[in-house]
Amino acid sequence: MTLIRPLAAAALALAFAAPAAAEPVRYRLLPDHSFVHFEVRHFGTSTSRGRFGPVDGEVTLDRTARSGQLGLRIRTATVDTGVRVFDSRLREPDLLGVEAWPEAYFVASRFEFDAAGGVSAVRGEFTLRGIGQPLTLVAERFGCRSEPAAGGTPAREVCGGEFVADVLRSAFGATFGLPFIADRVRLRVQVEAERL
Amino acid sequence: MPVHGAIAAALLAAAAVPSLAQAPAAPATPADTPELPRYTIDPTHTAVTFEAVHRGVSISRGRWTRTEGDIAFDRAAGRGRVAIAIQIGSLSTGSKAFDAWLLGPAAFDAAQHPTARFEATDFAFDAAARKPVRIAGTLTVRGQGHPVTLTTTLFDCYTSPLFRREVCGGDFEAEIDPRRWLPAAALAAAAVPERVKLLVQIEGVRQ
């Protein structure tokens, strides 16, 4: 993890016991590396998987102020399990309801940072089928990389992470198949975003 | 639900893996042991997912969902065998560019090697729980076979209301070094991760 600059800034802030100057930095999600994967138990026996995406959105991180904002947009029709009949079934009104609710969102403005200055959790609201519920994404991985310019791409900073959260689909009205297809769905969010 | 008997028989014939002495005091049995209960893989609940760390910060995932095969096991006797074929072309990561690169000659070379196989006859059972805990076999990709051991993270059997038969299955995982399966030219062409996690979902319908 190359977080030397923000750590130095944070150290200076502490040393002088003065309020840290806000340094919000905006990042835009990279579509090839931003997806929401989901896992759900089937008859308590095996785990079925699928994903939504690419997911788009923007993140603002202010590591000196230890704050951030995030808006993710998920096009629900992008659901993809690798089994076409499942995808079609999932799009129907008693599950994703993609006609009535073509987008799901995760919006957050409560960021938690660890001692190294990396994001450790993001607390916000997840909206699916038009219903909003509080949701906290816990970071399993997070880091930022400075990529040198190469082959036509300019130098840039990319921050990314791997986040996990469990939801109860019944809380969003997606009730088909209970209990044989579990209520609890694990979301695994892969995000990579480039600095704007 | 089509019975994949002919395909299963062909896979087993190709396996030619001698049975290891998992059943004490029993004579070595041929790989195709008629008395083990047989299960045909339900392809809609069987998939292989890979996870690889990307840029050191996030996890790239892809999955293969066209599978077919055959499992036979006897929980009481503590023996089993499995032969699964995976269609490499069914790979999907969500990124068309990444799919194309992975299916190309630098990685899976799907044009030359359209099928991967996992074959095993070495099942370690938890006798009390009557569940397989480890399945040691051979994973063949790009025509290269190397040992891989799947560890069970979930296993159960249930009566399917759809098939009106017993279905057994579970979640299994393994960590592999993908470089073992790649020729030198592919290793030189791009940075290949040293560690990739394989997450395998399997469900089989009793025959």
Side-chain angles (χ1 to χ4, degrees):
Chain A
M1 285 182 34
T2 45
L3 294 174
I4 297 166
R5 182 171 159 274
L7 277 174
L12 279 170
L14 286 169
F16 291 104
E23 293 186 43
V25 180
R26 282 171 59 223
Y27 302 81
R28 183 189 300 125
L29 263 58
L30 293 166
D32 274 359
H33 301 288
S34 298
F35 295 92
V36 173
H37 297 270
F38 59 86
E39 300 175 349
V40 63
R41 287 266 170 100
H42 181 248
F43 282 86
T45 292
S46 73
T47 297
S48 287
R49 293 182 169 81
R51 63 168 187 254
F52 298 98
V55 169
D56 56 21
E58 272 195 23
V59 186
T60 301
L61 286 180
D62 185 337
R63 284 193 284 268
T64 45
R66 294 169 76 85
S67 67
Q69 293 195 306
L70 168 66
L72 297 186
R73 177 179 63 175
I74 299 154
R75 279 174 256 251
T76 53
T78 62
V79 65
D80 191 337
T81 62
V83 182
R84 291 238 178 94
V85 293
F86 286 176
D87 297 345
S88 305
R89 185 65 187 83
L90 285 168
R91 294 190 184 104
E92 290 185 21
D94 58 352
L95 285 167
L96 293 171
V98 305
E99 273 192 37
W101 304 287
E103 294 181 345
Y105 307 96
F106 180 67
V107 176
S109 57
R110 286 171 56 202
F111 275 57
E112 293 172 14
F113 291 77
D114 60 25
V119 175
S120 60
V122 180
R123 297 181 182 278
E125 184 174 80
F126 180 53
T127 301
L128 180 67
R129 300 176 90 254
I131 298 169
Q133 299 283 355
L135 188 72
T136 297
L137 294 182
V138 175
E140 294 186 321
R141 289 176 178 273
F142 178 83
C144 297
R145 289 275 177 283
S146 292
E147 295 195 331
T153 25
R156 62 180 184 179
E157 183 191 29
V158 173
C159 292
E162 193 59 36
F163 298 84
V164 65
D166 285 354
V167 300
L168 292 177
R169 59 190 180 90
S170 59
F172 300 91
T175 53
F176 173 78
L178 293 169
F180 304 117
I181 300 159
D183 197 359
R184 190 176 63 143
V185 178
R186 177 150 292 172
L187 302 178
R188 294 194 183 276
V189 183
Q190 179 202 23
V191 182
E192 288 191 13
E194 63 178 344
R195 182 166 176 155
L196 291 175
Chain B
M1 174 70 197
V3 174
H4 300 286
I7 295 163
L11 282 171
L12 289 166
V17 178
S19 171
L20 299 177
Q22 282 297 306
T29 51
D32 186 7
T33 319
E35 69 271 16
L36 290 181
R38 285 183 53 230
Y39 301 76
T40 295
I41 276 161
D42 170 5
T44 62
H45 293 95
T46 298
V48 178
T49 299
F50 77 78
E51 291 187 341
V53 178
H54 186 256
R55 283 191 173 106
V57 301
S58 76
I59 294 179
S60 289
R61 293 181 177 85
R63 55 153 201 247
W64 294 268
T65 45
R66 280 211 305 277
T67 63
E68 59 187 352
D70 200 70
I71 307 165
F73 74 99
D74 185 328
R75 292 189 280 180
R79 284 182 303 153
R81 58 167 168 72
V82 58
I84 300 182
I86 301 149
Q87 294 310 309
I88 292 294
S90 69
L91 174 67
S92 175
T93 63
S95 157
K96 291 219 158 39
F98 194 20
D99 289 353
W101 185 85
L102 284 169
L103 293 174
F108 287 95
D109 197 7
Q112 300 297 319
H113 304 282
T115 308
R117 289 191 304 280
F118 179 72
E119 292 145 332
T121 57
D122 181 359
F123 279 51
F125 278 82
D126 175 333
R130 289 157 41 92
K131 298 182 178 188
V133 293
R134 271 186 320 281
I135 301 173
T138 301
L139 176 64
T140 303
V141 180
R142 286 189 66 135
Q144 301 293 308
H146 295 288
V148 169
T149 296
L150 296 178
T151 301
T152 307
T153 55
L154 189 67
F155 181 85
D156 210 347
C157 298
Y158 65 96
T159 303
S160 164
L162 176 65
F163 302 123
R164 289 190 216 125
R165 295 183 182 208
E166 184 190 39
V167 171
C168 291
D171 292 336
F172 307 86
E173 60 183 51
E175 214 168 67
I176 62 162
D177 179 349
R179 300 172 303 173
R180 303 182 69 197
W181 283 263
L182 291 172
L187 292 173
V192 178
E194 296 177 6
R195 278 169 40 187
V196 170
K197 195 168 179 184
L198 296 179
L199 300 164
V200 184
Q201 177 201 29
I202 301 178
E203 288 197 13
V205 183
R206 180 76 181 264
Q207 295 303 296

